[in-house]
């Protein structure tokens, strides 16, 4: 295999970031023994080098909804965005609620190059919990369970209608605790959402945020935390969107509970004011919130309350998004390819550090979901991303590789470009 020498780049790590040469032979990284020459020499002066990123919340739609996206198209999108490991959600068709269905997805994923796709198991009924237990206890599934990064549960319906009732949720928290696997939850309270929705009589898209109000997220998190207190479950809040939810999590963490959370770029970089421009392209669950929430979430990232930034990459076709009544359009936006450029742009404004980006898009998801990815250290085989932090780019949906061909960040000027993944 040809050798590669990458010179003068700045390697970002959780220890200390530093300019170092990197020598790669047979896919193995060496920092100490960088030889003078190699078959390929890359001058990385002015470039940042990260271990390739992890997006721990994506929907790749396969099987069942491949008109929106598929594993191959979305993996290309991920790679273009510097992401080579993703955790994929169970709301496909069929959903990932059985060992057989998980096997089917793992088989498709094994043919996909350049992206390590892990899968969340889904639970909507008691019998799915039995399947989950079998997966994590029976010897015959030792290999298969390595592809499963945890279990996902919905407290209210979203795309794919996977809401679980309270009895199922409680049993799941108990069993997942015994199995020591993380429970990721979509935290919106169904009763509050239903009661809020009936009050809305108009069709404007901005009503989406009123129909799924902040209180809904807060109550859902509180209910889940009461189960964490009872069973000690490892609990992860998906796509946290509110300042209120954040402060509850901050408190629970201080009390020592095993709770982690993630925020999505759309909740960090967009708010309700963007509905005017975006229409239904700004519709997702949980919905866009206020500027103050955005601000609080960014603070949460920097003070360590927020563990991961992950995209909830959820492509739908433009045709579906252009429903006559925007409130009938499906919820969800793509994001895996724009995650890192958006965070680098925040870094260019001193809102976040490169080390923090590494932490929330690599170190923490790697740890929480036990993905077994390596840092850039002597002898590791990790994929690396070269980034030019000073390159200006304008985001255009038509240039992105996701099958859906659009982005809620259309026209946004970002600072930072993925130069390559090795
Ligand atoms: O906006 C969303 N889209 N939220 C979800 O919970 C699901 C996702 C999807 O799959 O479309
Ligand atoms: Zn999601």
């Amino acid at each position: 295999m040809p050798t590669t020498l990458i010179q003068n780049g700045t390697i970002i790590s959780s220890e200390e970031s530093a300019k170092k040469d990197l020598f790669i032979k047979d896919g193995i990284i060496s920092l100490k023994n960088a030889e003078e020459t190699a078959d390929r020499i890359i001058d990385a002066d002015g470039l940042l080098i990260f271990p390739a990123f992890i997006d721990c919340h994506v929907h790749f739609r396969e099987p069942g909804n491949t008109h929106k996206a598929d594993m191959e198209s979305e993996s290309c999108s991920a790679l273009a965005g510097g992401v080579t490991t993703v955790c994929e959600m169970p709301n496909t068709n069929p959903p990932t609620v059985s060992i057989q269905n998980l096997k089917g997805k793992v088989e498709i994923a094994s043919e996909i190059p350049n992206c390590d796709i892990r899968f969340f198991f889904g639970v909507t009924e008691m019998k799915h919990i039995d399947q989950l237990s079998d997966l994590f206890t029976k010897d015959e599934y030792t290999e298969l369970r390595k592809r499963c990064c945890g279990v996902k549960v919905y407290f209210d319906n979203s795309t794919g209608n996977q809401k679980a009732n309270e009895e199922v949720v409680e049993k799941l928290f108990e069993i997942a605790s015994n199995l020591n696997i993380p429970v990721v939850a979509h935290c919106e309270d169904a009763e509050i959402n239903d009661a809020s929705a009936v009050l809305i009589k108009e069709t404007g898209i901005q009503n989406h945020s009123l129909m799924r109000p902040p209180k809904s997220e807060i109550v859902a998190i509180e209910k889940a935390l009461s189960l964490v207190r009872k069973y000690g479950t490892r609990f992860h809040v998906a796509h946290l969107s509110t300042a209120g939810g954040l402060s509850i999590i901050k408190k629970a963490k201080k009390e020592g509970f095993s709770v982690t959370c993630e925020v999505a770029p759309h909740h960090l970089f967009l708010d309700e004011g963007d509905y005017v421009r975006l229409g239904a392209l700004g519709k997702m669950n949980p919905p866009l919130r206020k500027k103050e929430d955005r601000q609080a979430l960014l603070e949460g990232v920097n003070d360590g309350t927020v563990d991961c930034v992950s995209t909830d990459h959820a492509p739908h076709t433009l045709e579906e998004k252009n429903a006559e009544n925007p409130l009938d359009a499906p919820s969800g936006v793509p994001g895996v390819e724009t995650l890192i450029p958006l965070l680098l742009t925040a870094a260019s404004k001193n809102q976040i550090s490169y080390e923090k980006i590494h932490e929330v898009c690599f170190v923490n998801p790697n740890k929480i979901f036990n993905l077994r990815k390596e840092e850039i250290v002597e002898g590791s085989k990790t994929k690396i991303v070269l980034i030019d932090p000073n390159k200006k780019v304008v985001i255009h949906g038509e240039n992105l590789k996701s099958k859906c061909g659009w982005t809620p960040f259309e026209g946004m000027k970002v600072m930072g470009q993925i130069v390559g993944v090795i």
Side-chain angles (χ1 to χ4, degrees), residues 59 61 91 152 154 158-159 186 239 283-286 312 314-316 331-333:
H59 301 261
R61 307 299 192 209
N91 61 340
K152 171 76 181 284
Y154 288 78
S158 189
T159 308
H186 180 115
H239 39 53
K283 181 172 188 265
M284 77 288 292
N285 301 329
D312 196 9
H316 296 284
S331 295
V333 298

Side-chain angles (χ1 to χ4, degrees), residues 61 65-70 74 315-317 320 330 402-404:
R61 307 299 192 209
N65 283 303
T66 51
H67 66 289
K68 296 177 197 274
D70 57 53
E74 305 318 287
H316 296 284
T317 67
E320 291 163 334
S402 173
K403 200 185 253 191
C404 73

Side-chain angles (χ1 to χ4, degrees), residues 79-110:
L79 183 67
V83 172
T84 62
T85 306
V86 298
C87 303
E88 209 268 348
M89 289 295 164
N91 61 340
T92 43
N93 189 9
T96 326
V97 293
S98 68
I99 290 171
Q100 193 190 347
N101 293 354
L102 173 67
K103 263 189 193 153
K105 286 175 83 162
V106 168
E107 260 164 43
I108 305 170
S110 70

Side-chain angles (χ1 to χ4, degrees), residues 4 14 18 31 39 93 109 124 148 186 203 216 241 272:
T4 305
S14 11
L31 297 161
D39 300 314
N93 189 9
T124 58
C148 179
H186 180 115
T203 57
S216 164
S241 66
E272 289 174 23

Side-chain angles (χ1 to χ4, degrees), residues 221-250:
I221 294 172
E222 272 168 350
K223 280 189 188 171
L225 282 175
S226 68
L227 297 175
V228 175
R229 287 194 176 95
K230 192 161 166 189
Y231 298 109
T233 321
R234 286 163 60 192
F235 171 55
H236 180 84
V237 177
H239 39 53
L240 177 74
S241 66
T242 61
L246 181 81
S247 61
I248 298 169
I249 292 169
K250 194 170 186 172

